[in-house]
């Protein structure tokens, strides 16, 4: 991480102090919540998904059009963070329409 911070010209992570200060509240909020991450296998989506997953959500549903990237994301999460009591679901959307409407009704 120090290499990346040096590369972007920072000495510390931008939100590290805020996250540390509010860690307990974040964990409580996330553990009781369900999340839907659209585009979860992209670079930003993966970062968001991993941050949510690390705090043990009740349900984390990740949607993306790239099946290969979804597989890599799930493997990465399982190997780095293990398993949680909550539920992780991943889904590749083939097209917008009926499948999308069904997913949105669950949330």
């Amino acid at each position: 991480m120090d290499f990346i911070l040096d590369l972007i010209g920072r000495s510390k992570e931008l939100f590290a102090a805020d996250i540390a200060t509010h860690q307990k509240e974040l964990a409580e909020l996330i553990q009781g919540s369900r999340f839907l991450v659209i585009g979860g296998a992209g670079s930003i989506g993966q970062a968001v998904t991993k941050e949510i997953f690390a705090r043990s959500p009740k349900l984390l549903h990740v949607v993306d059009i790239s099946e290969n990237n979804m597989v890599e994301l799930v493997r990465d999460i399982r190997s780095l963070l293990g398993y949680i009591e909550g539920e992780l679901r991943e889904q590749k959307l083939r097209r917008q329409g009926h499948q999308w409407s069904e997913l949105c009704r669950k949330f």
Side-chain angles (χ1 to χ4, degrees), residues 38-68:
I38 300 170
S43 57
I44 295 171
Q46 283 189 20
V48 169
T49 299
K50 289 174 185 178
E51 286 297 320
I52 294 170
F53 186 87
R55 291 171 175 83
S56 301
K58 184 186 290 185
L59 172 69
L60 175 56
H61 201 118
V62 183
V63 178
D64 202 280
I65 59 172
S66 174
E67 188 172 2
N68 289 338

Side-chain angles (χ1 to χ4, degrees), residues 4-38:
I4 294 172
L5 291 174
D6 289 341
L7 185 66
I8 61 175
R10 292 195 181 129
S11 59
K12 61 181 180 177
E13 294 180 30
L14 190 58
F15 298 107
D18 289 333
I19 291 172
T21 301
H22 301 289
Q23 186 66 20
K24 183 179 178 189
E25 294 90 344
L26 280 170
E28 288 173 359
L29 179 66
I30 291 174
Q31 287 173 357
S33 299
R34 299 165 16 147
F35 294 88
L36 170 64
V37 180
I38 300 170

